[in-house]
Amino acid sequence: MSAAQIHIAGVHKVFGQGAQQVVALQGIDLSIAPGQFVCLLGPSGCGKSTLLNAVAGFAPPTSGRISVAGQPVQGAGPDRGMVFQEYALFPWMTVEDNIGFGLKIRHTPVAERNVTVDRLLQMLGLSEFRLRYPKDLSGGMRQRVAIARILALDSPILLMDEPFGALDALTRRSLQDELLQIQAQWQKTVLFVTHSIDEAIYLADRVVVLTYRPGTIKLDLPIALPRPRDSSSAGFNELKRELGAVVMQEQQRHQQAEQRGLAID
Amino acid sequence: MAARRWSTRTLLRGLWLPVTLLVAWQGAAVLGWLNPQVLPSPWQVLQRWWVYALPADPYDPSQSRLTWLLSGELVHDAWGSLGRVLAGFAIGAVLALPLGLLMGASQRVYEWFNPLLQVLRPIPPIAWIPLSILWFGLGNPPAIFLIALGAFFPVLMNTIAGVRNVDSIYIRAALNLGANQRVLFTRVMLPAAMPYILAGARIGMGTAFIVVIVSEMIAVNNGLGFRILEAREYFWSDKIIAGMLSIGLLGLAIDMVMAALNHHLLRWHRGQENDA
Ligand SMILES: Nc1ncnc2c1ncn2[C@@H]1O[C@H](COP(=O)(O)OP(=O)(O)OP(=O)(O)O)[C@@H](O)[C@H]1O
Ligand SMILES: [Mg+2]
């Protein structure tokens, strides 16, 4: 596959200056093909959100290039729909207004907008909540609305920052399945951040493991397990062991770094 | 809390103190302990209030009965005060809102305006009375100017704070969905800051109501504030008290409307802490 959908080349990101300086990302090279589902895995603080924010266009990298569909990223835009860990729904809008917001500000005709919103409400099982405000919804419902809001814009790329992290195991699994279905149906390119090795293997075509400070790519592993995947199968557990060992190494470096930090303080 | 309905018991609990005081006051008056020039009996106040509220002229069949009923002095005064409060508040709030949004959103705009505003803000609206009379003469203009001033600062300060406290995640989400600066302002920052803005509006309305009474005592010759000062000149203590009670009731009504408006506009708000 020649034309990568997302192309990340030599990306560095440094926060702060002098003694406070933190090298969050160092020399990240990553090319993601259209329709590929990539999971970013790594210990807390290794720079996963930083990378996602750079691709989304919220915070440009210190150096390096990021291009999407051949165009360099300049600021945020609806071609890269972001699903935040904190949902980030607009609390003053009802569910249907949240979902329709992107279309509304794009001046999509009302009739067309209603059709899209209705379809998404139905698809994600939100129809009876359409006139509710986010405060009345459960975590799983809110995350569905956040996903619907992005799908309404038909973004070819979905950026998801630990979207299911705060959900219980059952809700999590059903949303994972819905996401896989959506991704397969519409050929979305997905960059998905997670802490969970299990989740990464369940979802991804490819798992990318980051190292802790500086954030570099430690491992780039294709997941060839047939779908739908069975998390109790031998192949799944084999991968889990393999990835677990790699992530554990980084986790230990993380803890040691923290202890050193404490000793210095 | 709006959710709690008035039950008979809470009503009784709330009524016993005022009723006791009224009975004691009336009793003291009947026993001749009070000089009616200084403190008239509640009954006398009530009678005076009735006269104050009653239509001035006898009923003229050529006009509608409602016009006649509303032709009393009290209705005129209350209407005049209310009109001034609303006009002044509207001017103050309409100026404060965009300025507050800009000052909250842009550090540069904030730095331009802040020093001036910090110097003007501690000057009570009352202290502007002499200057406003010099500028605008007597009548409604200085009164509305003062009321607008009184409403301006609470709305401004709260709007600035509201915009500054908008969670940046809403901004990022809106940008991600394709919002431009104008959309960001009108559809994200403004509604996100709304709880603060409305709290400011309620405080501003309270200030405006204080200022209207004071300015009517000085610059205008009608309205509830004017009327109680006029009554003092004739030593009508009963009318003074009737006027004060009217002022209290009008203030209460305005605040209840503001609270209901808050409650409706912030129905999305978590915890609904603006019910009170
Ligand atoms: N705005 C910032 N200013 C300074 N340092 C920052 C900033 N944002 C992130 N960092 C630092 O950069 C590093 C990477 O942060 P990032 O949020 O990308 O980690 P993460 O992998 O997403 O972690 P988590 O799994 O906890 O979300 C962290 O060490 C963090 O302290
Ligand atoms: Mg993160």
Side-chain angles (χ1 to χ4, degrees):
Chain A
M1 231 166 290
S2 56
Q5 179 89 331
I6 304 175
H7 191 72
I8 300 169
V11 160
H12 288 254
K13 179 77 186 188
V14 182
F15 288 111
Q17 286 166 353
Q20 305 290 317
Q21 189 167 327
V22 172
V23 181
L25 296 172
Q26 189 173 69
I28 302 285
D29 295 306
L30 193 62
S31 281
I32 301 174
Q36 200 169 42
F37 198 130
V38 176
C39 277
L40 280 178
L41 199 58
S44 185
C46 72
K48 305 181 296 291
S49 296
T50 305
L51 185 59
L52 213 62
N53 282 329
V55 176
F58 296 136
T62 312
S63 67
R65 278 174 302 116
I66 301 178
S67 53
V68 165
Q71 298 294 317
V73 166
Q74 282 164 334
D79 58 323
R80 287 148 287 145
M82 180 92 159
V83 178
F84 300 86
Q85 181 166 17
E86 315 88 321
Y87 317 124
L89 298 176
F90 302 122
W92 54 90
M93 291 183 200
T94 58
V95 165
E96 63 175 7
D97 289 345
N98 263 287
I99 299 176
F101 179 74
L103 293 173
K104 188 168 187 173
I105 63 179
R106 214 185 246 193
H107 304 297
T108 306
V110 180
E112 192 181 321
R113 191 166 86 215
N114 288 342
V115 170
T116 308
V117 170
D118 283 346
R119 180 173 54 80
L120 287 167
L121 284 168
Q122 194 124 56
M123 189 176 99
L124 290 162
L126 292 164
S127 295
E128 31 173 331
F129 301 97
R130 62 186 307 155
L131 295 177
R132 298 290 190 85
Y133 288 95
K135 71 176 168 77
D136 299 329
L137 304 182
S138 67
M141 288 291 175
R142 288 182 203 181
Q143 205 53 291
R144 283 194 173 89
V145 177
I147 292 171
R149 183 167 76 169
I150 298 306
L151 293 178
L153 294 176
D154 208 14
S155 323
I157 296 173
L158 303 184
L159 304 173
M160 308 182 89
D161 195 353
E162 296 185 46
F164 307 147
L167 306 178
D168 64 274
L170 282 176
T171 312
R172 198 173 202 197
R173 182 45 49 95
S174 78
L175 278 177
Q176 287 167 346
D177 288 333
E178 283 172 45
L179 177 63
L180 285 174
Q181 216 174 335
I182 289 163
Q183 193 258 345
Q185 191 176 343
W186 281 300
Q187 290 298 303
K188 304 281 187 197
T189 308
V190 184
L191 187 53
F192 187 107
V193 168
T194 178
H195 268 126
S196 154
I197 297 170
D198 224 272
E199 184 168 49
I201 302 174
Y202 190 73
L203 295 173
D205 298 317
R206 184 177 163 197
V207 175
V208 173
V209 181
L210 293 183
T211 59
Y212 179 77
R213 282 203 193 164
T216 59
I217 293 179
K218 185 181 178 88
L219 178 72
D220 188 343
L221 185 71
I223 309 287
L225 294 177
R227 295 176 190 272
R229 290 177 182 162
D230 174 3
S231 56
S232 58
S233 71
F236 197 102
N237 282 293
E238 178 63 29
L239 277 167
K240 210 161 137 180
R241 253 193 305 282
E242 188 180 332
L243 271 171
V246 177
V247 171
M248 192 46 79
Q249 277 177 12
E250 284 311 309
Q251 193 63 41
Q252 274 160 3
R253 283 192 43 216
H254 177 184
Q255 271 156 13
Q256 282 159 8
E258 265 182 0
Q259 277 155 10
R260 269 200 308 278
L262 287 178
I264 291 166
D265 294 343
Chain B
M1 296 272 153
R4 198 201 299 150
R5 290 269 151 259
W6 284 100
S7 72
T8 328
R9 191 191 286 187
T10 54
L11 202 66
L12 286 178
R13 203 178 287 156
L15 275 179
W16 81 265
L17 184 61
V19 167
T20 311
L21 281 176
L22 275 175
V23 168
W25 179 8
Q26 181 70 34
V30 167
L31 292 172
W33 295 351
L34 301 175
N35 174 358
Q37 287 274 304
V38 178
L39 188 61
S41 74
W43 179 240
Q44 199 186 332
V45 170
L46 200 66
Q47 281 173 313
R48 192 53 187 254
W49 206 352
W50 179 243
V51 172
Y52 183 25
L54 229 49
D57 311 310
Y59 179 60
D60 166 8
S62 70
Q63 52 177 184
S64 89
R65 197 161 279 273
L66 189 66
T67 333
W68 176 71
L69 271 179
L70 294 180
S71 71
E73 197 180 28
L74 172 60
V75 178
H76 261 266
D77 286 341
W79 196 242
S81 298
L82 184 65
R84 275 183 280 275
V85 164
L86 294 183
F89 176 82
I91 293 172
V94 160
L95 293 175
L97 192 63
L99 183 61
L101 289 174
L102 285 171
M103 285 179 71
S106 153
Q107 188 59 29
R108 186 181 307 177
V109 177
Y110 184 80
E111 282 162 12
W112 282 343
F113 285 97
N114 192 45
L116 176 65
L117 292 169
Q118 288 307 334
V119 172
L120 294 181
R121 193 164 69 98
I123 305 175
I126 315 294
W128 284 85
I129 288 177
L131 200 57
S132 66
I133 291 178
L134 274 184
W135 286 353
F136 301 104
L138 290 175
N140 276 329
I144 289 176
F145 170 78
L146 293 168
I147 296 161
L149 206 63
F152 179 80
F153 284 104
V155 176
L156 179 76
M157 300 327 277
N158 270 45
T159 306
I160 295 173
V163 174
R164 293 212 161 158
N165 280 297
V166 173
D167 195 332
S168 69
I169 194 145
Y170 298 136
I171 312 257
R172 279 192 286 154
L175 288 173
N176 185 249
L177 293 165
N180 58 26
Q181 286 300 315
R182 193 181 54 78
V183 168
L184 209 57
F185 228 75
T186 57
R187 291 185 191 271
V188 179
M189 300 222 269
L190 185 62
M194 201 44 88
Y196 278 82
I197 296 175
L198 288 178
R202 204 164 160 193
I203 300 169
M205 191 55 109
T207 316
F209 194 66
I210 294 171
V211 176
V212 74
I213 300 302
V214 176
S215 63
E216 283 170 350
M217 289 181 163
I218 288 157
V220 190
N221 57 13
N222 67 64
L224 296 168
F226 167 78
R227 202 62 64 200
I228 58 174
L229 207 65
E230 183 198 49
R232 188 201 61 90
E233 282 170 28
Y234 299 100
F235 298 98
W236 290 336
S237 51
D238 46 4
K239 192 165 181 185
I240 295 179
I241 295 175
M244 286 169 63
L245 293 172
S246 308
I247 291 170
L249 288 179
L250 183 62
L252 180 64
I254 291 176
D255 194 59
M256 281 167 70
V257 170
M258 292 297 281
L261 193 71
N262 273 17
H263 185 61
H264 176 72
L265 287 175
L266 298 182
R267 58 199 180 283
W268 55 270
H269 201 245
R270 212 179 288 270
Q272 309 273 306
E273 52 262 68
N274 287 280
D275 283 10

